[in-house]
């Protein structure tokens, strides 16, 4: 990453605007933050700015408000959580541009922290409006981007703003995200294995194709495996699959064989007559999925196969669950893969919202070498794409 980082800057007395990602779940009934991983992830960068004597101004989005302010999408509940982790008061401002913000910034002292309201309350943000970027830039001497999870979006707060700020850098979280990604696919310890799960092959086909030439092994689970079963001529019953992607799946299988990459598909699956309150749940061979049933998890033989395939890996990248992990009856495959990574001596790099949710649920989050904060951004890096938020920093 050819970008300076926040720890390399002189920030004493400077108004420092940090684009963070505080897109955290808020309980509608209580208005409280439900899970604060992304808040905690931003603390090292914020604390660095504080320790350097910056006047730290934080800007973030939360959810997808429909073109204007929405009380249930306010960042106000984040301020007390952040204050607890920083050990000092965080002032919340109920706007992100305009006179209210100007007055709050003018009153700041070195070491102070200010949290602005949801930047997506202004539709100009997602349009990457230069005028809106200029308004955000008016409050700062220095711009720091620490929001990896939004780096695949070209918005005003991470792209347009850079046209109006002379001094800029990446945050420590952004630095870690790129460092671990480079460990995974640029200069990995080998053997390198990639594990893909989730519902749809269409959402991950570019990533699978991109890593096919780079990894030693690919393991496929989740509902996306059903499309590969169909491509092999197996019946998939009532299982979720993408008929329009069958030819693409055939091409992937042919490419894997040509490149002599280890390509692992499930050999058995857990099937049920229905997802909610099933009356029948059993494991069957992938060649014998009943017509009136659906595959909802990888089976026990596949769990053993995948564990064995990962046993000698030195680097493992994982994106997406192996089944409907939210249900205890169909979470065994995801848990088995998580445990295999937790027990491995390999560098384990995990990305994707569902995947880190499963890790937290199983209490295995801390057993991974690195868990990315960005699902979409992580996937686009796996696809070999250049992220707009990073590209703007590099170009600036």
């Amino acid at each position: 990453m050819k970008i300076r980082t926040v720890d390399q800057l002189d920030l004493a007395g400077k108004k420092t605007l940090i684009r963070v990602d505080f897109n955290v779940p808020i309980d509608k009934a209580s208005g409280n933050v439900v899970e604060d991983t992304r808040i905690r992830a931003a603390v090292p960068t914020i604390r660095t700015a504080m320790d350097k004597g910056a006047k730290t101004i934080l800007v973030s989005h939360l959810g997808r408000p429909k073109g204007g302010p929405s009380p249930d999408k306010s960042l106000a509940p984040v301020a007390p959580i952040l204050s607890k982790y920083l050990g000092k008061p965080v002032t919340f401002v109920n706007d992100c541009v305009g006179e209210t913000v100007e007055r709050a910034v003018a009153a700041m002292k070195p070491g102070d922290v200010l949290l602005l309201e949801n930047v997506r309350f202004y539709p100009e943000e997602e349009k990457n409006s230069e005028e809106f970027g200029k308004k955000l830039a008016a409050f700062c001497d220095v711009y720091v981007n620490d929001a990896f999870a939004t780096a695949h979006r070209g918005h005003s707060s991470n792209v347009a703003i850079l046209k109006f700020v002379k001094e800029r850098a990446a945050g420590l979280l952004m630095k870690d995200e790129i460092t671990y990604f480079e460990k995974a696919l640029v200069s990995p310890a080998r053997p390198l294995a990639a594990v893909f799960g989730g519902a749809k092959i269409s959402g991950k086909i570019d990533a699978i194709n991109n890593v096919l030439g780079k990894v030693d092994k690919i393991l496929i689970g989740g509902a996306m495996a059903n499309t590969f079963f169909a491509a092999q001529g197996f019946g998939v019953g009532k299982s979720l699959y993408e008929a329009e992607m069958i030819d693409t799946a055939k091409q992937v299988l042919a490419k894997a064989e040509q490149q002599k990459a280890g390509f692992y598909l499930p050999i058995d699956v857990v099937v049920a007559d229905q997802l909610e309150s099933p009356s029948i749940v059993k494991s069957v061979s992938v060649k014998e999925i009943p017509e009136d049933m659906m595959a909802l998890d990888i089976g026990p033989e596949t769990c053993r196969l995948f564990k064995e395939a990962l046993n000698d890996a030195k680097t493992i990248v994982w994106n997406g669950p192996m089944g409907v992990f939210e249900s205890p009856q169909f979470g065994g495959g995801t848990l088995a893969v998580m445990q295999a990574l937790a027990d491995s001596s390999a560098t384990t790099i995990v990305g994707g919202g569902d995947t880190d949710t499963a890790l937290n649920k199983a209490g295995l989050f801390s057993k991974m070498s690195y868990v990315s904060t960005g699902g979409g951004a992580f996937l686009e890096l796996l696809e070999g794409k250049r992220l707009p938020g990073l590209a703007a920093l590099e170009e600036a």
Side-chain angles (χ1 to χ4, degrees):
M1 186 172 70
K2 300 173 183 176
I3 305 167
R4 286 191 302 172
T5 50
V6 65
D7 52 327
Q8 298 173 309
L9 302 181
D10 175 13
L11 300 177
K14 293 181 180 178
K15 294 174 290 183
T16 303
L17 184 72
I18 305 179
R19 178 44 162 113
V20 289
D21 177 25
F22 289 162
N23 185 28
V24 294
I26 306 286
D27 180 68
K28 287 186 178 180
S30 66
N32 295 327
V33 173
V34 175
E35 205 281 317
D36 64 7
T37 298
R38 288 186 171 181
I39 299 173
R40 287 185 280 112
V43 167
T45 292
I46 299 168
R47 195 179 294 283
T48 297
M50 288 168 52
D51 291 347
K52 285 176 170 283
K55 299 174 182 177
T56 305
I57 306 154
L58 306 176
V59 62
S60 177
H61 75 284
L62 176 64
R64 293 184 177 277
K66 296 178 180 178
S70 177
D72 66 328
K73 298 292 190 297
S74 173
L75 282 163
V78 171
I81 305 295
L82 181 61
S83 178
K84 179 184 72 174
Y85 287 123
L86 294 177
K88 71 165 296 169
V90 173
T91 302
F92 175 73
V93 184
N94 63 357
D95 207 338
C96 61
V97 292
E99 292 182 9
T100 305
V101 181
E102 287 176 15
R103 287 195 298 270
V105 171
M108 292 181 78
K109 298 180 178 66
D112 284 353
V113 180
L114 199 67
L115 174 62
L116 305 183
E117 182 57 284
N118 191 342
V119 71
R120 286 190 183 172
F121 282 177
Y122 288 85
E124 298 95 321
E125 157 69 357
E126 294 184 82
K127 295 175 183 177
N128 195 22
S129 159
E130 285 196 14
E131 187 60 34
F132 189 62
K134 187 176 183 179
K135 288 180 180 179
L136 291 169
F139 306 126
C140 69
D141 305 308
V142 180
Y143 171 82
V144 176
N145 191 343
D146 205 33
F148 174 76
T150 65
H152 61 311
R153 309 290 188 196
H155 291 170
S156 294
S157 64
N158 68 346
V159 175
I161 189 173
L162 285 161
K163 297 188 176 182
F164 307 101
V165 183
K166 291 183 179 179
E167 196 169 9
R168 72 278 292 180
L172 301 181
L173 174 62
M174 184 78 82
K175 177 185 177 183
D176 283 347
E177 294 276 5
I178 302 305
T179 298
Y180 273 95
F181 179 80
E182 289 176 347
K183 280 186 180 181
L185 287 186
V186 178
S187 54
R190 293 185 180 273
L192 166 61
V195 184
F196 287 100
K200 294 185 177 182
I201 184 177
S202 56
K204 298 185 180 178
I205 189 62
D206 289 341
I208 292 170
N209 271 321
N210 184 52
V211 304
L212 254 178
K214 300 178 174 68
V215 303
D216 302 296
K217 300 176 183 181
I218 289 186
L219 287 65
I220 303 288
M224 69 161 64
N226 299 330
T227 303
F228 283 100
F229 301 155
Q232 293 174 310
F234 305 151
V236 295
K238 296 192 299 181
S239 307
L240 174 67
Y241 81 107
E242 295 174 278
E244 70 279 9
M245 296 298 291
I246 288 176
D247 286 343
T248 302
K250 288 179 180 178
Q251 293 167 12
V252 171
L253 291 168
K255 184 177 178 181
E257 186 174 354
Q258 181 184 12
Q259 296 189 350
K260 295 182 171 57
F263 197 87
Y264 296 80
L265 287 169
I267 54 177
D268 66 338
V269 289
V270 177
V271 298
D273 56 336
Q274 58 189 26
L275 176 57
E276 301 294 337
S277 304
S279 57
I280 303 173
V281 178
K282 62 180 180 179
S283 298
V284 300
S285 164
V286 298
K287 298 178 182 180
E288 299 171 349
I289 299 174
E291 289 185 7
D292 60 345
M293 303 191 83
M294 59 183 74
L296 296 169
D297 195 12
I298 59 174
E301 293 300 321
T302 302
C303 291
R304 283 188 278 272
L305 172 68
F306 282 11
K307 182 177 180 180
E308 185 179 317
L310 295 172
N311 194 45
D312 66 342
K314 294 292 188 293
T315 307
I316 305 171
V317 182
W318 177 32
N319 180 272
M322 298 292 101
V324 186
F325 72 95
E326 297 90 346
S327 168
Q329 291 174 296
F330 312 117
T334 300
L335 181 60
V337 169
M338 286 192 292
Q339 195 62 58
L341 267 67
D343 294 340
S344 175
S345 60
T347 298
T348 51
I349 301 160
V350 180
D354 285 342
T355 318
D356 64 34
T357 299
L359 284 168
N360 274 313
K361 185 177 179 182
L364 294 173
F365 193 97
S366 64
K367 298 292 185 180
M368 303 299 116
S369 303
Y370 192 74
V371 181
S372 176
T373 58
F378 184 83
L379 198 56
E380 290 201 11
L381 278 181
L382 288 178
E383 292 170 4
K385 293 180 179 176
R386 196 169 182 227
L387 307 185
L390 283 176
L393 274 181
E394 289 179 330
E395 287 163 6

